Amino acid sequence: MRANFWTDLFDFIAPRTCAICGRRLSSTEECICIKCLCDIPFASFHHHPLDNPMARLFWGLFPVERVAALFYYQPQSPPYRLIHDLKYHYAPETGQYLGRLTATRMVPHGFFDGIDAIIPMPITWLRRLQRGYNQSEEIAKGIHEITGIPVYDKVVKRTKFKGSQTQLNTRERRENVQNAFFLKQPEKIRGKHLLLIDDVITTGATVTACAEELAKAGDTRISVLSIGLTKG
C-alpha cells in the first residue's frame, strides 16, 4: 500500500508514459502499456534455441550453443521506437526493462540454465561518449536482475568502428567488422559458457566477429541473445 502511494504520487507529479504509444502508464505498468505489450511480435526462438531463424545465421561460423531473440524488429513496427530511443534518445531504463522482460519470458524455459557469464556487445569509446552508455550493457543489467548471472563488460573490447552497417550487404558487413574486437581477459572466460548480448541482429556479422574473438580464449561455449531480429 505504501509503495503504491508513492508510485501514484510520483506519477501525479511527473506522469510516466508508454515508450511506444505515449499513453500515460498506470501504477502497475512499467515502460510499456499493456496494450502495446500485447501488440509486440514476440518470437518463440527460446523454445527451439538450437534451430530457429536466428540460430541459422551462425551455423558453420562458430560453435553456437543457444540462440534467441525477444521479438521481430521492423522499422515503424511497435518495438521500433523502443530500440530507437534506447540507441539515440538516452533511455538506459528502456534497455534495463527489455532485459528484465526478456529474462522473465525465457527463464521458465531453461534458456539461461548453465550460463556462467553475460557478455554485452562492446562499442567503441567514441560511441559510448556520444550515446552516454552501451545499450547492450543496459540490457545485460536487466537480465542480471532476474537471473543473477554476472555481467563481464571488460573481457572484450571494440577496437574500431567503420560506420553504420545499415546499408551494407552481408559480405560487406562481415568485411566491415573484421578485426574489430580484441580479447582482453581470456583467462577470465576460459572454460565457461558465455551469453553474448546485442540489441538488434540483422545478418549476425558483428556478433560472429565478436564470438570468434571470444572463442580464442579456448574451451568456451557461446550462446547469443538479442532483443530484436530484423525481419527481412
Side-chain angles (χ1 to χ4, degrees):
M1 180 69 71
R2 192 176 192 80
N4 288 340
F5 169 78
W6 288 113
T7 300
D8 291 342
L9 178 61
F10 289 138
D11 280 348
F12 177 78
I13 297 171
R16 298 173 304 121
T17 58
C18 175
I20 292 178
C21 70
R23 184 185 69 81
R24 183 169 177 170
L25 296 175
S26 72
S27 59
T28 59
E29 294 173 327
E30 182 185 6
C31 192
I32 305 172
C33 70
I34 294 298
K35 182 182 182 304
C36 287
L37 190 62
C38 291
D39 289 340
I40 289 178
F42 287 113
S44 58
F45 299 164
H46 53 287
H47 293 293
H48 306 283
L50 295 176
D51 184 4
N52 59 61
M54 196 164 92
R56 292 172 203 139
L57 295 174
F58 307 115
W59 285 359
L61 298 178
F62 66 92
V64 65
E65 292 279 325
R66 305 171 200 160
V67 179
L70 179 62
F71 53 63
Y72 284 104
Y73 174 84
Q74 288 179 298
Q76 311 313 318
S77 65
Y80 175 80
R81 185 171 175 181
L82 287 173
I83 300 296
H84 191 266
D85 286 351
L86 175 61
K87 296 181 76 166
Y88 303 111
H89 293 155
Y90 195 82
E93 68 285 349
T94 297
Q96 294 166 26
Y97 166 77
L98 288 171
R100 291 192 296 272
L101 178 63
T102 301
T104 300
R105 287 181 61 86
M106 298 185 186
V107 160
H109 302 279
F111 184 82
F112 298 94
D113 291 356
I115 290 175
D116 298 302
I118 298 170
I119 308 289
M121 180 66 67
I123 58 177
T124 63
W125 68 269
L126 181 58
R127 271 292 194 191
R128 182 186 288 273
L129 184 64
Q130 293 170 336
R131 194 163 288 159
Y133 54 87
N134 177 349
Q135 69 274 13
S136 294
E137 287 181 12
E138 300 305 317
I139 295 166
K141 289 176 185 177
I143 294 172
H144 167 76
E145 285 183 40
I146 302 299
T147 65
I149 300 171
V151 178
Y152 292 177
D153 58 0
K154 294 180 174 59
V155 166
V156 63
K157 178 181 179 181
R158 181 92 185 232
T159 57
K160 61 181 180 179
F161 179 76
K162 294 184 178 180
S164 173
Q165 303 249 88
T166 306
Q167 303 301 320
L168 305 181
N169 61 36
T170 300
R171 179 185 58 80
E172 292 170 334
R173 285 171 182 252
R174 289 176 180 167
E175 292 175 352
N176 199 43
V177 292
Q178 283 182 350
N179 304 312
F181 299 95
F182 173 70
L183 182 60
K184 297 173 60 180
Q185 299 174 316
E187 70 287 346
K188 191 169 183 177
I189 61 172
R190 190 172 294 120
K192 293 185 176 180
H193 185 176
L194 310 173
L195 179 62
L196 186 55
I197 299 289
D198 204 358
D199 55 353
V200 176
I201 289 176
T202 301
T203 66
T206 306
V207 165
T208 297
C210 188
E212 289 174 341
E213 189 66 17
L214 290 170
K216 292 178 181 179
D219 191 27
T220 58
R221 292 177 293 154
I222 300 173
S223 291
V224 178
L225 178 61
S226 75
I227 298 301
L229 172 67
T230 301
K231 198 171 185 178

